Amino acid sequence: MTARAIDEPHRVSSQLELLFDLTFVVAVAAVTAQLAHAVAAGHGLTGLVPFLQVFFAIWWAWMNFTWFASSYDTDDVLYRLLTMVQMGGVLTLAAGVPAAADHSDYGIVTLGYIIMRIGLVAQWVRAGLEDPAGRRTALRYAAGITVLQVGWVLRLVLADTGVLPESAWLPAFVCLVVLELAVPRWAERVRSTNWHPHHIAERYGLFTIILLGESVLAASRGVAGALEAAEIRPSFVVIAVCALVLLFALWWLYFLTEAGEGLNDRRHRSYLWGYGHYVIFAALAALGAGLEVAVEQSGHAVAASPSALGYAVAIPTGVYLAMLWALHRLITAEPVIRPVPALGGVVAVLALPLATPAIGVAAVVGAITAVCVLLVAVTITTARRASRQEAA
């Protein structure tokens, strides 16, 4: 296990990485479904905290595997077996999502997370043993991750035994998250790993598609719930169609810029770019939950108010647009998405739910979709105009 070349030509995702991603489809579907239930019951804000906590575990495990694989993917027998261990951890975590969301019981989620991390620690130890040049970095990763797993277990034990008061659960979680985020920076101070910029860009793009696919799945669950009412209303058709168009517009905006070249030229900004995607991914998952309930309520009544449903779609969309522009700005000198249209789109999207009591959920979802489609059109037109001016 030696470091792969940074400039390796034609580097793409392996079949094992694609299989690995499929286990995250299950985990993301579980956490999105739980958030949708909370929104439908009128407890969206209450359900947001466990959603963000569990989603962090999902995202961080995926991200750590992805960056390790970009540097050290050997695709031999031992590597494949340890990857399978991490996949088992993902599925265990997914099984614990309902208990975490409904009863704040993070036992199974923590167990699944630890299984994932143990598999990664073994990979880093192997890299440290077999790659002398990157040994110190690899062993730092292994040590940092191991110590933090002790921290997660200790947090769980102290919470279950009552030693850690409930008011301290969230601060303890945030503290451990900060330490988790600090491990890569600390480990790579001695020597950076050989991650491949185009491979990383492709992996993040693929996970974005997975999150968009989860939103499609969530919306389809809402369609099924609405159809159980055995009555097709105009609002149902409007929201269902707009959900598809909205997701297509968000996909279009994400892939307007190919991130590989930007990451290659600005490797020092990779931490901010990589960490910032937590917001992108979480927003897409939350949007799926919002769309699911918005579609479902067009067929039968839900406990959530119309305004709450409008915000359940608007807030994730606005957050996604704002963060997407920020991440493009990090790695490109001239981001394709201009700041004025992006900011205008965010403001418009976040303001639209105020009109929900007057115009209804379907009209608000339609207006949010129209804003995103308009942003796509303006961005494409501006980019083409700039391209013609450069050619001239």
Side-chain angles (χ1 to χ4, degrees), residues 74-124:
T74 57
D75 198 30
D76 58 8
V77 173
L78 183 55
Y79 181 87
R80 290 185 174 191
L81 292 176
L82 289 174
T83 299
M84 184 183 67
V85 170
Q86 294 177 73
M87 292 168 63
V90 178
L91 296 176
T92 303
L93 184 149
V97 168
D102 297 337
H103 311 294
S104 297
D105 180 1
Y106 291 92
I108 302 299
V109 168
T110 303
L111 174 62
Y113 184 71
I114 291 173
I115 292 172
M116 289 188 286
R117 305 299 274 166
I118 288 174
L120 184 63
V121 167
Q123 298 276 38
W124 278 118

Coordinates of all heavy atoms in Angstrom, one line a residue, residues 74-124:
T74 N -5.7 0.4 -3.1 CA -4.9 -0.7 -3.7 C -5.8 -1.7 -4.4 O -5.4 -2.5 -5.2 CB -4.0 -1.4 -2.7 OG1 -4.9 -1.9 -1.7 CG2 -3.0 -0.4 -2.1
D75 N -7.1 -1.7 -4.0 CA -8.1 -2.7 -4.5 C -7.6 -4.1 -4.4 O -7.9 -4.9 -5.3 CB -8.4 -2.3 -5.9 CG -9.8 -2.9 -6.4 OD1 -10.6 -3.2 -5.5 OD2 -9.9 -3.2 -7.6
D76 N -6.8 -4.5 -3.4 CA -6.4 -5.9 -3.2 C -7.4 -6.5 -2.2 O -8.4 -5.9 -1.8 CB -5.0 -6.0 -2.8 CG -4.7 -5.2 -1.5 OD1 -5.6 -4.8 -0.9 OD2 -3.5 -5.1 -1.2
V77 N -7.1 -7.8 -1.9 CA -8.0 -8.5 -1.0 C -8.2 -7.9 0.3 O -9.4 -7.7 0.8 CB -7.5 -10.0 -0.8 CG1 -8.3 -10.7 0.2 CG2 -7.5 -10.7 -2.2
L78 N -7.2 -7.5 1.0 CA -7.3 -6.9 2.3 C -8.0 -5.6 2.3 O -8.9 -5.3 3.1 CB -5.9 -6.7 3.0 CG -5.9 -6.2 4.4 CD1 -6.8 -7.0 5.3 CD2 -4.5 -6.0 4.9
Y79 N -7.7 -4.8 1.3 CA -8.4 -3.5 1.1 C -9.9 -3.7 0.9 O -10.7 -3.0 1.5 CB -7.8 -2.7 -0.1 CG -8.4 -1.4 -0.3 CD1 -7.9 -0.2 0.3 CD2 -9.5 -1.2 -1.2 CE1 -8.5 1.0 0.1 CE2 -10.1 0.0 -1.4 CZ -9.6 1.1 -0.8 OH -10.2 2.4 -1.0
R80 N -10.3 -4.6 0.1 CA -11.7 -4.9 -0.2 C -12.4 -5.4 1.1 O -13.5 -5.0 1.4 CB -11.8 -5.9 -1.3 CG -11.4 -5.4 -2.6 CD -11.7 -6.4 -3.7 NE -11.4 -5.9 -5.1 CZ -11.8 -6.5 -6.2 NH1 -12.4 -7.6 -6.2 NH2 -11.5 -5.9 -7.4
L81 N -11.7 -6.3 1.9 CA -12.4 -6.8 3.1 C -12.6 -5.7 4.1 O -13.6 -5.7 4.8 CB -11.5 -7.9 3.7 CG -11.4 -9.2 2.8 CD1 -10.5 -10.2 3.4 CD2 -12.8 -9.8 2.6
L82 N -11.6 -4.8 4.3 CA -11.7 -3.7 5.2 C -12.8 -2.7 4.8 O -13.5 -2.1 5.6 CB -10.4 -3.0 5.5 CG -9.4 -3.8 6.2 CD1 -8.0 -3.1 6.3 CD2 -9.8 -4.1 7.7
T83 N -12.9 -2.6 3.5 CA -14.0 -1.7 3.0 C -15.4 -2.4 3.3 O -16.3 -1.7 3.6 CB -13.9 -1.5 1.5 OG1 -12.6 -0.9 1.2 CG2 -15.0 -0.7 0.9
M84 N -15.5 -3.7 3.2 CA -16.7 -4.4 3.5 C -17.1 -4.2 5.0 O -18.3 -4.0 5.3 CB -16.6 -5.9 3.2 CG -17.9 -6.7 3.4 SD -17.7 -8.4 3.1 CE -16.6 -8.9 4.5
V85 N -16.1 -4.2 5.8 CA -16.3 -3.9 7.3 C -17.0 -2.5 7.4 O -18.0 -2.4 8.2 CB -15.0 -4.0 8.1 CG1 -15.2 -3.5 9.5 CG2 -14.5 -5.4 8.1
Q86 N -16.4 -1.5 6.7 CA -17.0 -0.2 6.8 C -18.4 -0.1 6.3 O -19.3 0.6 6.8 CB -16.1 0.8 6.0 CG -14.7 0.9 6.7 CD -13.8 1.8 5.9 OE1 -14.0 3.1 5.8 NE2 -12.8 1.2 5.2
M87 N -18.7 -0.9 5.2 CA -20.0 -1.0 4.7 C -21.0 -1.6 5.7 O -22.1 -1.1 5.8 CB -20.0 -1.8 3.4 CG -19.3 -1.2 2.2 SD -19.0 -2.3 0.8 CE -20.7 -2.7 0.3
G88 N -20.5 -2.6 6.4 CA -21.4 -3.1 7.5 C -21.7 -2.1 8.6 O -22.8 -2.1 9.1
G89 N -20.7 -1.2 8.9 CA -21.0 -0.2 9.8 C -22.0 0.8 9.4 O -22.9 1.3 10.1
V90 N -22.0 1.1 8.1 CA -23.0 2.0 7.5 C -24.4 1.5 7.7 O -25.3 2.1 8.1 CB -22.7 2.3 6.0 CG1 -23.8 3.2 5.4 CG2 -21.4 3.0 5.8
L91 N -24.6 0.2 7.3 CA -25.9 -0.5 7.5 C -26.3 -0.6 8.9 O -27.5 -0.4 9.2 CB -25.8 -1.8 6.8 CG -25.5 -1.8 5.3 CD1 -25.4 -3.3 4.8 CD2 -26.6 -1.1 4.5
T92 N -25.4 -0.8 9.8 CA -25.7 -0.8 11.2 C -26.2 0.6 11.7 O -27.2 0.7 12.4 CB -24.5 -1.2 12.1 OG1 -24.0 -2.5 11.6 CG2 -24.9 -1.3 13.6
L93 N -25.5 1.6 11.3 CA -25.9 3.0 11.6 C -27.3 3.2 11.1 O -28.1 3.8 11.8 CB -24.9 3.9 11.0 CG -25.1 5.4 11.4 CD1 -23.7 6.1 11.4 CD2 -26.0 6.1 10.3
A94 N -27.6 2.8 9.9 CA -28.9 3.1 9.3 C -30.0 2.4 10.1 O -31.1 3.0 10.3 CB -28.9 2.6 7.8
A95 N -29.7 1.2 10.6 CA -30.7 0.5 11.4 C -31.0 1.3 12.7 O -32.1 1.1 13.3 CB -30.2 -0.9 11.7
G96 N -30.1 2.1 13.2 CA -30.3 2.8 14.4 C -30.9 4.2 14.3 O -31.2 4.8 15.3
V97 N -31.2 4.6 13.1 CA -31.7 5.9 12.9 C -33.1 6.1 13.5 O -33.3 7.2 14.2 CB -31.8 6.3 11.4 CG1 -32.6 7.5 11.1 CG2 -30.3 6.4 10.8
P98 N -34.0 5.2 13.4 CA -35.3 5.5 14.0 C -35.2 5.7 15.5 O -35.9 6.5 16.1 CB -36.1 4.2 13.7 CG -35.5 3.7 12.4 CD -34.1 4.0 12.6
A99 N -34.4 4.8 16.2 CA -34.3 5.0 17.7 C -33.7 6.3 18.0 O -34.1 7.0 19.0 CB -33.4 3.8 18.2
A100 N -32.7 6.8 17.2 CA -32.1 8.1 17.5 C -33.1 9.2 17.3 O -33.1 10.2 18.1 CB -30.9 8.3 16.6
A101 N -33.9 9.1 16.2 CA -34.8 10.2 15.9 C -36.0 10.2 16.9 O -36.4 11.3 17.3 CB -35.3 10.1 14.5
D102 N -36.5 9.0 17.3 CA -37.7 9.0 18.1 C -37.4 9.0 19.6 O -38.3 9.6 20.3 CB -38.5 7.7 17.8 CG -39.0 7.6 16.3 OD1 -39.1 8.7 15.7 OD2 -39.2 6.5 15.8
H103 N -36.3 8.5 20.0 CA -36.1 8.3 21.5 C -34.7 8.9 21.9 O -34.3 8.7 23.1 CB -36.2 6.9 21.9 CG -37.4 6.2 21.4 ND1 -38.7 6.5 21.8 CD2 -37.6 5.2 20.5 CE1 -39.6 5.7 21.1 NE2 -38.9 4.9 20.3
S104 N -34.0 9.6 21.0 CA -32.7 10.1 21.3 C -31.8 9.0 21.8 O -30.9 9.2 22.6 CB -32.7 11.2 22.4 OG -33.5 12.3 21.9
D105 N -32.0 7.8 21.3 CA -31.1 6.6 21.6 C -30.1 6.4 20.5 O -30.4 5.9 19.4 CB -32.0 5.4 21.8 CG -31.2 4.1 22.1 OD1 -30.0 4.2 22.3 OD2 -31.8 3.0 22.2
Y106 N -28.9 6.8 20.8 CA -27.8 6.8 19.8 C -26.9 5.6 19.9 O -25.8 5.6 19.4 CB -27.0 8.1 19.8 CG -27.7 9.3 19.4 CD1 -28.4 10.1 20.3 CD2 -27.8 9.7 18.1 CE1 -29.1 11.2 20.0 CE2 -28.5 10.8 17.7 CZ -29.2 11.6 18.6 OH -29.9 12.7 18.2
G107 N -27.4 4.6 20.6 CA -26.5 3.4 20.8 C -26.2 2.7 19.6 O -25.0 2.4 19.3
I108 N -27.2 2.3 18.7 CA -26.9 1.6 17.5 C -26.2 2.5 16.5 O -25.3 2.0 15.8 CB -28.2 1.1 16.9 CG1 -28.9 0.1 17.9 CG2 -28.0 0.3 15.6 CD1 -28.1 -1.1 18.3
V109 N -26.6 3.8 16.4 CA -25.9 4.7 15.5 C -24.4 4.8 15.9 O -23.5 4.8 15.0 CB -26.5 6.1 15.6 CG1 -25.7 7.1 14.9 CG2 -27.9 6.1 15.0
T110 N -24.1 4.9 17.2 CA -22.7 5.0 17.7 C -22.0 3.7 17.3 O -20.8 3.7 16.9 CB -22.7 5.3 19.2 OG1 -23.4 6.5 19.4 CG2 -21.2 5.4 19.6
L111 N -22.6 2.5 17.5 CA -22.0 1.3 17.2 C -21.7 1.2 15.7 O -20.5 0.8 15.4 CB -22.9 0.1 17.6 CG -22.5 -1.3 17.2 CD1 -21.2 -1.6 17.9 CD2 -23.6 -2.3 17.5
G112 N -22.6 1.6 14.9 CA -22.3 1.5 13.4 C -21.2 2.5 13.1 O -20.3 2.1 12.2
Y113 N -21.2 3.7 13.7 CA -20.1 4.6 13.4 C -18.8 4.1 13.8 O -17.8 4.2 13.1 CB -20.4 5.9 14.2 CG -19.4 7.1 13.9 CD1 -19.4 7.7 12.7 CD2 -18.5 7.4 14.9 CE1 -18.5 8.7 12.4 CE2 -17.6 8.5 14.6 CZ -17.7 9.1 13.4 OH -16.8 10.1 13.2
I114 N -18.7 3.4 15.0 CA -17.4 2.9 15.4 C -17.0 1.8 14.5 O -15.8 1.6 14.2 CB -17.6 2.4 16.9 CG1 -17.8 3.6 17.8 CG2 -16.4 1.6 17.3 CD1 -18.1 3.2 19.2
I115 N -17.9 0.9 14.0 CA -17.5 -0.1 13.1 C -16.9 0.5 11.9 O -15.8 0.0 11.4 CB -18.7 -1.0 12.7 CG1 -19.2 -1.8 14.0 CG2 -18.4 -2.0 11.6 CD1 -20.5 -2.5 13.7
M116 N -17.5 1.5 11.3 CA -16.9 2.2 10.2 C -15.5 2.7 10.4 O -14.6 2.6 9.6 CB -17.8 3.3 9.7 CG -19.2 2.9 9.1 SD -20.1 4.3 8.4 CE -20.7 5.1 9.9
R117 N -15.4 3.3 11.6 CA -14.1 4.0 11.9 C -13.0 2.9 12.2 O -11.8 3.2 11.9 CB -14.3 4.9 13.1 CG -15.4 5.9 12.9 CD -15.1 6.8 11.7 NE -14.3 7.9 12.1 CZ -13.6 8.8 11.3 NH1 -13.7 8.5 10.0 NH2 -12.9 9.8 11.7
I118 N -13.4 1.8 12.8 CA -12.4 0.7 13.0 C -11.8 0.2 11.7 O -10.6 0.0 11.6 CB -13.0 -0.4 13.8 CG1 -13.3 0.0 15.3 CG2 -12.1 -1.7 13.8 CD1 -14.0 -1.0 16.1
G119 N -12.7 0.0 10.7 CA -12.2 -0.4 9.4 C -11.3 0.6 8.8 O -10.2 0.3 8.2
L120 N -11.5 1.9 9.0 CA -10.7 3.0 8.5 C -9.3 3.0 9.2 O -8.3 3.2 8.6 CB -11.4 4.3 8.5 CG -10.6 5.5 7.9 CD1 -10.4 5.3 6.4 CD2 -11.3 6.8 8.1
V121 N -9.4 2.9 10.6 CA -8.1 2.8 11.3 C -7.2 1.7 10.9 O -6.0 1.9 10.7 CB -8.5 2.7 12.8 CG1 -7.2 2.3 13.6 CG2 -9.1 3.9 13.4
A122 N -7.8 0.5 10.6 CA -7.0 -0.6 10.1 C -6.3 -0.2 8.7 O -5.2 -0.6 8.5 CB -7.9 -1.8 9.9
Q123 N -7.1 0.5 7.9 CA -6.5 0.9 6.6 C -5.3 1.9 6.8 O -4.3 1.8 6.2 CB -7.6 1.6 5.8 CG -8.8 0.7 5.4 CD -8.5 -0.1 4.1 OE1 -7.4 -0.6 3.9 NE2 -9.5 -0.3 3.3
W124 N -5.5 2.8 7.8 CA -4.4 3.8 8.0 C -3.2 3.1 8.6 O -2.1 3.5 8.3 CB -4.9 4.9 8.9 CG -5.7 6.0 8.2 CD1 -7.0 6.4 8.4 CD2 -5.2 6.9 7.2 NE1 -7.3 7.4 7.6 CE2 -6.2 7.7 6.8 CE3 -3.9 7.0 6.5 CZ2 -6.1 8.7 5.8 CZ3 -3.8 8.0 5.6 CH2 -4.8 8.8 5.2

